[in-house]
Amino acid sequence: MSSALARRGSKTAATACKHHPNRNYFSHSFYRRDVLSHHQNIRDMSLLWLLTAAACSPPTRLYACQTALSMTTTAIQQRRTFRAKSEQLASASRSMAMMDDTSSLLTDSTCTSTTTTTTTTTTTREKSLSKKFHPRRIGKGCDLDEIFQYLIESSHQLGRERVFKSLRTALYNASGYRVESAWRIYQQMMHHKVTDLMGPNNYGHLLNILKYGTDPTTTISRMLNVLDDLRIQQGNQRLKISLMHYSQVLFAMGRIGDAKGACALIQEIKTQGHVPLPSHFTSLAIATRNDKSYDATQEAAELMMEAMNKDQVVLENDACVTMVSLLSRQRSRGQRQQQMTKENDGIDRTVKFLEAVEYVRNKEGVDDTPTTATTKSQYNVHVYTSLISGLAQKGDATNAKRLYDKMRQQGLKPTIATRTALIEAYGRAGDFDTALKLLNRKQHTSMVTSVLTNAIRHNKWDVAEMLATPWMKKLESAKLDDKLRAALMWVKVKSDLDDARSFFDTLYQKDASYVNTVMVNHLVAGSGNQRSNEKVKESYGLHSSTGKSPSLFSQHVLVDALFKCRDVPAALTAFMSMRRQGIPDDITLAMVIRGLIMNDEDTIAWNVFRALKKDGVQPNLWAYTSMLKAYAKSNSTTGINKELVDVWPELHRAVTGRHATTESTVENNKEKVEEETPVLMPITKNPSQAYLLFRELTGFQTPNEYTYTTLIACFSKHSLARATDVFSHMCASGVKPTVQTYTAMLQACSIFRSARGALLIFRHMRDQQVAPNSATWHYLLKAFVRARVDKSNIDQIGNMAREAMGSNDNDKSNKSKRKKPL
């Protein structure tokens, strides 16, 4: 049956097995029945019988289905038996390794799940950030920290160009022209090393933002770092530094006042083969004005004159006005360090600067305009006013008048400020006749104030009272300015202090705005000159009437007035109060030393001087001069006031700046303070110490006429030769001797009986056109008498002295007028 079935259904079986995955196995097992021992073979053969039954006739189909059913049942039983045995073995093995493998299997499963989730999340976030921080989408609202973090994390995927474009867009759009934001963006460019992709315009935009920084040191250093990067790029031939880049840096230096750096930068521009622009010199002028340094002004002027004379650079008006104002207001150091030369005797460097300005502008005018054109002044009235004002500060009335006449020749109309500056020049020079003539042509409150204050400085009380009398009636007028009121109050203080005090109260009652701190300072100083301690304190309390707290100068006036009243403890208390307010200036300390020496407290003054030097503070010229005066004093006491000994520890802390802020701090640190406070050392007065002090002074300071006079007075009692050497050094240094200097020299000649020396000194005095006073005539006659000169010569000198003293009787009468109230 099986063979017949096989023969009849061979074609159908072959067709059915053809599409089965195990068709090769079916064909092989169909002819090899002996291999059907395994349950899988039985299952497959049962399937084959079913396929064969589908292709056979009905009787045969029944037999085939039964056979297939039988074979399937057998296969299922065998399969169940096999699975049962396999499950028993697997269960045993799993139970043994379950405890060891459970944790590892769970971890592997969790890690796999997390990795898959993270990868998916990261990919989504990268796509979101890439879209968010695309260069086209970076704007004002973007967070720079997020941009920087994104670029750091994705720099490898983005590439250098994409990173640069993002940072460049942030510089233009996201920085908001904020200095710190722009600098952070530039630092990120440096971090990613993409600055070589920046163009000249990108650097220019960056410098344009950085130049408005508020911190002077940081702003200049940052801009110089950018400029150094530009130099590197230029060295690599990637770009060229333009003049506009230098303009941005010079603008910042002008705002901050770095004149030295501006000069160096302009020199660099010239070494690069470029001609600096006029705007560069304007920035240099502004930097010089903000720097307020003598050397910077001179160096800037040299650069500008060189540019005008050699490179034909026409300066802007702002630069010209600024430099003329600066040059005219500064005293030449050459006048103090060497003899007067032709350059210093005229209008100094200011005239040369103006000549260079006129030269280059006239040359440009000749080249650009027709020859028939009328030429006008190349600089305006403000330039002339600034120059005349600077000459007025020096008292150079001759050159101020020359400039004034030249300005009128140019067709420029002088302003009130110009006339006031010219009157100030004559007033400081002491030529009050010319000053009054100019004042009578056109009066203004500023002009009257100038003549009045200079008359008081020169002790011309007849001029001061003549001017003050008509204006005293107008003192309560609202048209007067504060300066003129203060000057008129000064005259009242000099004439009658009580009347001035009552008049101050009258002004205050009428209008509180009529009184000011300058008036109060005049009252305090006048009370100090009268040595009235109570009036000094009462007048100082009037600062509350002005509605303003006492200024630094007001406190100086108070301390000086208290020293004049011989109230040294009160003066030192006021000084220590100033120091507690944080006012550590050398002028105040020099004033304290002078006040102590004026009150014969030379030992305390010497110890204050020593404390300054030991603490690293270099005393100024006035402190050295005061100490020289202490050496020159022969009748001063060498003892120490016991009250000042008690206050010395606190005074030492105030001088050195280590004073305590509260009383409790002083009490808690009392033992420590006593250990740090040095012992008072007595002063040793001899000419050798004075000479050593003078040599120390000349190492870093330029002595003035008062310093030389004090040192000559010190040597006049000990050595005529040494005093003569100091006098010769004074004349060789370009310092003009005063009447006090000649008097000190004549005193030395009288002590050492040198009539020849006295005659030489007196001739030198007449040659310098210095008028002798009564003390000068006294020591001149004394020198002749002690040298036993012929009586006829002495009588001749005496007649000259009587004539000179008789001419001063009018001055005495003028002084007596001051005592009458106005």
Side-chain angles (χ1 to χ4, degrees):
M1 183 66 184
S2 299
S3 60
L5 180 60
R7 285 192 301 268
R8 292 182 61 182
S10 59
K11 185 176 180 179
T12 302
T15 303
C17 295
K18 180 178 180 181
H19 301 285
H20 196 274
N22 296 330
R23 52 186 176 274
N24 295 329
Y25 175 76
F26 282 148
S27 60
H28 175 73
S29 62
F30 184 78
Y31 294 103
R32 295 283 308 273
R33 298 296 302 271
D34 55 328
V35 299
L36 296 180
S37 57
H38 196 269
H39 66 276
Q40 292 182 354
N41 293 338
I42 296 174
R43 183 193 60 185
D44 295 335
M45 287 305 297
S46 64
L47 180 60
L48 182 59
W49 279 104
L50 288 174
L51 292 174
T52 304
C56 296
S57 59
T60 309
R61 184 182 307 167
L62 180 61
Y63 175 76
C65 290
Q66 292 177 352
T67 305
L69 180 59
S70 177
M71 296 180 67
T72 301
T73 303
T74 304
I76 291 173
Q77 292 178 354
Q78 293 179 0
R79 179 69 175 177
R80 289 177 177 175
T81 304
F82 178 77
R83 283 184 177 179
K85 294 181 179 180
S86 299
E87 288 179 359
Q88 291 179 359
L89 295 174
S91 178
S93 61
R94 283 196 304 269
S95 62
M96 294 176 62
M98 184 177 294
M99 298 301 297
D100 297 334
D101 297 342
T102 300
S103 58
S104 61
L105 289 174
L106 291 175
T107 303
D108 293 342
S109 177
T110 304
C111 292
T112 304
S113 176
T114 304
T115 304
T116 305
T117 306
T118 303
T119 304
T120 304
T121 306
T122 303
T123 305
T124 306
R125 180 175 176 272
E126 288 179 355
K127 291 181 180 181
S128 176
L129 291 177
S130 177
K131 184 177 181 181
K132 179 180 179 181
F133 297 128
H134 191 276
R136 295 181 181 178
R137 295 179 177 270
I138 296 177
K140 295 182 179 179
C142 294
D143 189 354
L144 291 179
D145 293 330
E146 293 183 359
I147 296 175
F148 297 157
Q149 185 65 28
Y150 166 71
L151 294 178
I152 291 174
E153 294 175 354
S154 308
S155 59
H156 296 288
Q157 292 81 3
L158 297 175
R160 295 179 70 250
E161 293 185 0
R162 173 66 180 276
V163 172
F164 167 70
K165 290 180 180 179
S166 299
L167 292 174
R168 180 185 61 185
T169 306
L171 178 63
Y172 281 88
N173 298 337
S175 64
Y177 283 88
R178 294 185 295 269
V179 176
E180 294 299 328
S181 300
W183 179 248
R184 290 179 60 195
I185 293 171
Y186 176 70
Q187 285 182 319
Q188 287 296 318
M189 289 184 178
M190 296 289 292
H191 174 73
H192 292 284
K193 298 180 181 180
V194 294
T195 53
D196 56 323
L197 301 177
M198 295 178 66
N201 57 330
N202 304 140
Y203 279 104
H205 184 73
L206 175 62
L207 291 172
N208 187 39
I209 298 175
L210 294 178
K211 69 182 181 182
Y212 291 104
T214 56
D215 188 4
T217 306
T218 305
T219 300
I220 295 300
S221 62
R222 287 176 176 178
M223 298 192 74
L224 291 179
N225 289 337
V226 176
L227 197 59
D228 291 338
D229 190 18
L230 271 169
R231 296 189 185 100
I232 295 174
Q233 303 299 335
Q234 181 174 331
N236 297 332
Q237 298 182 354
R238 292 192 179 97
L239 52 81
K240 290 185 179 180
I241 305 177
S242 66
L243 293 177
M244 298 307 298
H245 295 138
Y246 289 109
S247 298
Q248 306 292 350
V249 183
L250 287 171
F251 179 85
M253 291 180 174
R255 288 180 62 249
I256 294 172
D258 187 6
K260 186 177 181 181
C263 291
L265 203 59
I266 291 179
Q267 292 285 7
E268 180 182 342
I269 294 174
K270 298 175 68 175
T271 56
Q272 294 291 336
H274 302 293
V275 177
L277 300 175
S279 60
H280 293 169
F281 292 105
T282 303
S283 298
L284 176 60
I286 296 174
T288 306
R289 181 188 63 191
N290 296 332
D291 188 275
K292 300 178 182 180
S293 173
Y294 176 88
D295 296 331
T297 304
Q298 300 302 317
E299 186 177 359
E302 289 290 341
L303 280 176
M304 293 184 185
M305 288 190 290
E306 182 181 357
M308 289 185 288
N309 294 327
K310 294 183 180 180
D311 301 329
Q312 310 301 322
V313 177
V314 181
L315 300 183
E316 297 175 351
N317 289 333
D318 292 341
C320 294
V321 173
T322 302
M323 290 306 300
V324 168
S325 178
L326 292 174
L327 290 171
S328 60
R329 292 176 184 273
Q330 287 190 337
R331 294 183 178 273
S332 176
R333 290 185 178 180
Q335 296 182 7
R336 294 184 178 275
Q337 295 179 353
Q338 56 185 6
Q339 291 182 347
M340 300 286 289
T341 60
K342 293 182 179 180
E343 178 182 354
N344 293 327
D345 193 27
I347 314 178
D348 298 341
R349 196 177 299 272
T350 314
V351 174
K352 288 188 175 182
F353 184 85
L354 288 175
E355 290 175 351
V357 172
E358 186 175 4
Y359 164 76
V360 67
R361 292 190 176 182
N362 287 337
K363 189 170 183 179
E364 291 293 329
V366 171
D367 295 338
D368 298 338
T369 59
T371 56
T372 58
T374 58
T375 59
K376 296 182 179 180
S377 177
Q378 300 297 332
Y379 28 86
N380 54 25
V381 65
H382 301 291
V383 176
Y384 282 105
T385 303
S386 299
L387 181 58
I388 294 173
S389 178
L391 294 172
Q393 297 295 326
K394 299 179 182 180
D396 191 353
T398 303
N399 288 314
K401 185 62 168 60
R402 285 172 53 191
L403 275 180
Y404 183 83
D405 294 339
K406 186 176 180 180
M407 182 185 68
R408 296 296 301 270
Q409 293 174 3
Q410 296 292 337
L412 297 175
K413 185 178 180 179
T415 61
I416 294 177
T418 310
R419 296 179 183 274
T420 304
L422 183 60
I423 291 176
E424 179 72 15
Y426 282 111
R428 286 183 178 268
D431 188 359
F432 291 98
D433 294 335
T434 308
L436 290 175
K437 289 180 181 179
L438 293 173
L439 182 62
N440 292 331
R441 295 178 184 177
K442 185 176 181 180
Q443 288 193 0
H444 190 267
T445 55
S446 61
M447 302 177 188
V448 177
T449 304
S450 175
V451 179
L452 191 58
T453 53
N454 283 297
I456 297 174
R457 292 190 185 105
H458 287 80
N459 292 325
K460 297 291 184 179
W461 291 105
D462 53 344
V463 177
E465 292 176 359
M466 180 187 65
L467 285 176
T469 302
W471 288 93
M472 285 294 181
K473 302 177 182 179
K474 306 176 184 179
L475 192 58
E476 300 179 7
S477 175
K479 296 181 179 180
L480 297 184
D481 57 1
D482 293 339
K483 293 183 179 179
L484 182 56
R485 283 198 185 92
L488 294 174
M489 179 61 69
W490 193 3
V491 176
K492 274 190 168 293
V493 168
K494 291 291 185 180
S495 60
D496 191 339
L497 181 62
D498 295 333
D499 182 57
R501 176 68 174 82
S502 61
F503 194 76
F504 180 90
D505 295 336
T506 303
L507 289 176
Y508 178 75
Q509 292 175 0
K510 185 172 184 178
D511 192 343
S513 62
Y514 288 171
V515 297
N516 51 44
T517 57
V518 180
M519 296 180 181
V520 178
N521 292 337
H522 289 321
L523 291 172
V524 174
S527 302
N529 292 331
Q530 289 188 358
R531 296 185 179 182
S532 176
N533 195 356
E534 295 180 358
K535 290 184 178 180
V536 168
K537 297 177 181 179
E538 181 183 356
S539 299
Y540 187 77
L542 294 176
H543 279 289
S544 59
S545 303
T546 62
K548 298 180 180 179
S549 58
S551 62
L552 174 62
F553 181 74
S554 300
Q555 297 180 57
H556 282 180
V557 174
L558 173 63
V559 175
D560 185 62
L562 291 173
F563 274 124
K564 289 180 180 179
C565 295
R566 303 292 180 178
D567 193 353
V568 178
L572 294 179
T573 301
F575 162 71
M576 289 183 289
S577 176
M578 293 173 59
R579 297 291 284 177
R580 292 191 188 97
Q581 299 175 18
I583 310 177
D585 64 291
D586 53 350
I587 299 176
T588 309
L589 296 171
M591 180 182 60
V592 171
I593 295 175
R594 181 179 68 86
L596 290 171
I597 293 175
M598 181 174 59
N599 288 274
D600 295 332
E601 300 293 345
D602 300 338
T603 302
I604 299 294
W606 168 244
N607 283 272
V608 170
F609 187 81
R610 287 178 62 250
L612 284 176
K613 295 173 60 179
K614 187 176 181 180
D615 198 54
V617 179
Q618 190 63 51
N620 61 7
L621 178 63
W622 303 109
Y624 274 97
T625 304
S626 299
M627 289 308 306
L628 289 174
K629 187 176 181 179
Y631 285 113
K633 292 162 60 177
S634 59
N635 57 349
S636 60
T637 60
T638 57
I640 304 176
N641 190 349
K642 185 178 180 181
E643 187 176 359
L644 297 182
V645 173
D646 297 336
V647 81
W648 166 242
E650 187 176 356
L651 176 62
H652 179 267
R653 294 194 301 274
V655 169
T656 57
R658 291 190 292 266
H659 52 276
T661 56
T662 59
E663 296 180 358
S664 59
T665 307
V666 175
E667 293 177 358
N668 295 333
N669 300 334
K670 186 175 181 179
E671 297 180 357
K672 184 177 180 181
V673 167
E674 291 178 354
E675 294 178 358
E676 294 179 354
T677 304
V679 181
L680 286 171
M681 298 296 294
I683 182 173
T684 304
K685 296 183 179 181
N686 57 67
S688 300
Q689 293 292 332
Y691 185 71
L692 293 176
L693 194 65
F694 178 77
R695 291 187 60 181
E696 179 183 341
L697 164 67
T698 56
F700 58 91
Q701 293 279 1
T702 303
N704 56 15
E705 59 275 6
Y706 186 70
T707 307
Y708 280 109
T709 303
T710 304
L711 186 62
I712 291 172
C714 180
F715 287 122
S716 62
K717 304 177 183 62
H718 301 278
S719 174
L720 178 61
R722 184 62 64 85
T724 305
D725 291 341
V726 175
F727 181 80
S728 301
H729 187 276
M730 176 182 183
C731 298
S733 300
V735 181
K736 187 178 180 180
T738 62
V739 62
Q740 289 80 12
T741 309
Y742 290 109
T743 303
M745 285 299 302
L746 291 174
Q747 182 185 11
C749 294
S750 65
I751 292 175
F752 292 95
R753 303 179 181 182
S754 176
R756 183 175 180 274
L759 185 60
L760 292 175
I761 293 296
F762 187 76
R763 287 179 178 177
H764 191 279
M765 182 180 181
R766 300 296 294 269
D767 293 340
Q768 297 295 324
Q769 297 181 355
V770 178
N773 56 19
S774 58
T776 308
W777 290 111
H778 170 75
Y779 285 114
L780 178 62
L781 289 171
K782 189 174 182 179
F784 277 69
V785 170
R786 297 196 65 183
R788 298 183 180 182
V789 181
D790 292 342
K791 186 177 179 182
S792 59
N793 295 331
I794 297 176
D795 293 339
Q796 184 179 359
I797 298 296
N799 293 331
M800 295 173 59
R802 281 188 288 271
E803 292 178 0
M805 297 299 295
S807 63
N808 293 332
D809 292 340
N810 294 330
D811 296 338
K812 294 181 179 180
S813 62
N814 291 333
K815 291 181 180 179
S816 63
K817 291 181 180 180
R818 285 185 292 163
K819 299 180 181 180
K820 299 179 180 180
L822 295 174

